[in-house]
Amino acid sequence: ENASSVKVTSHSESNIEANAAAVAAGAVAGNAAVAVAANRLEADTVIRGSASIKNVKNDLEVLHTSKTNANSNVVGGGVGLAAAGIGAAVTSVSPKAHTAIESGEGTLNKIGDITVKNDISSTGKADLVSGTVGLGAMNGNALLVFNDTNADAKIGDRNITAKNITVKSDMDATATSDVSSLTVGATALGATVNYVGLGAKNDAAIKLAERKIQASGDVNVDAAAKTKA
């Protein structure tokens, strides 16, 4: 009550990396390398529904920023009269961010500007380099990358009087994979499976049911997503 400004903020940075390497040489040579990286960061940045705030001269802000990365790297090689190599790189990045002024009996009365905002960056990447050389050579590779980032920014059902109200969620989500594979022999067999799945979700909303919002200025709701797979 009677504050110049109110800020509820969180910032997260999380990096996960998995590396695997296997090399085999002999008359009969076989190698297998598997790397799995999973990043499941969760962040809640909220003003609870029971909280009442009034007479804030300037800004009331609920802000979350995060950078989440997961990388898996595999290097494998086999040399022999009969050579076989198997490599797998699996990456999953699935952070969850909930940024909100939640529904409830609490009121926000006589506030300057209200801002609820996400700024989220997430990257999932897999790299695999493998090679087999022999009279009989076999090489099998699999790369699986998943980016299922889930973010929402919202104002729930509650009574609010303010000047300007902004609810915004910005997301930059990327999922990529790179593979280099070489199989050499009188009889050579190589197979590669490369899958990239981008299922990111980004929401911004004001959800009213029984209560009302009164704004003397502008009300803006925006969800912007930049994705690359």
Side-chain angles (χ1 to χ4, degrees), residues 58-207:
N58 296 312
D59 299 333
L60 186 153
E61 297 177 306
V62 184
L63 308 174
H64 171 69
T65 60
S66 67
K67 294 181 179 180
T68 309
N69 300 300
N71 301 305
S72 60
N73 305 291
V74 172
V75 177
V79 179
L81 292 177
I86 298 175
V90 181
T91 300
S92 174
V93 56
S94 55
K96 294 181 180 180
H98 173 62
T99 306
I101 297 173
E102 296 186 333
S103 301
E105 296 293 335
T107 61
L108 302 181
N109 190 26
K110 297 181 180 179
I111 311 296
D113 293 340
I114 294 176
T115 301
V116 178
K117 185 179 179 182
N118 282 323
D119 190 353
I120 295 172
S121 173
S122 66
T123 302
K125 187 176 181 182
D127 293 300
L128 188 149
V129 178
S130 68
T132 55
V133 178
L135 290 177
M138 181 176 66
N139 194 10
N141 303 300
L143 290 88
L144 305 174
V145 182
F146 306 92
N147 189 329
D148 296 311
T149 302
N150 193 328
D152 71 272
K154 74 174 184 178
I155 294 177
D157 186 29
R158 63 191 299 162
N159 291 317
I160 297 174
T161 59
K163 185 178 179 181
N164 299 304
I165 298 174
T166 300
V167 181
K168 187 173 178 63
S169 189
D170 291 331
M171 176 187 292
D172 188 342
T174 303
T176 60
S177 65
D178 295 303
V179 59
S180 297
S181 178
L182 174 66
T183 307
V184 179
T187 301
L189 175 63
T192 297
V193 176
N194 191 347
Y195 176 81
V196 175
L198 184 56
K201 296 180 181 179
N202 188 34
D203 295 318
I206 295 176
K207 299 182 178 180

Side-chain angles (χ1 to χ4, degrees), residues 24-76:
V28 178
N31 76 78
V34 178
V36 179
N39 196 330
R40 295 184 174 89
L41 175 75
E42 294 191 17
D44 288 338
T45 311
V46 301
I47 293 177
R48 297 298 183 189
S50 59
S52 291
I53 302 172
K54 66 180 180 179
N55 297 329
V56 176
K57 182 179 180 181
N58 296 312
D59 299 333
L60 186 153
E61 297 177 306
V62 184
L63 308 174
H64 171 69
T65 60
S66 67
K67 294 181 179 180
T68 309
N69 300 300
N71 301 305
S72 60
N73 305 291
V74 172
V75 177

Side-chain angles (χ1 to χ4, degrees), residues 3-28:
S4 175
S5 62
V6 174
K7 289 188 177 183
V8 180
T9 65
S10 66
H11 176 74
S12 304
E13 289 194 27
S14 179
N15 297 287
I16 301 292
E17 185 167 328
N19 299 297
V23 178
V28 178

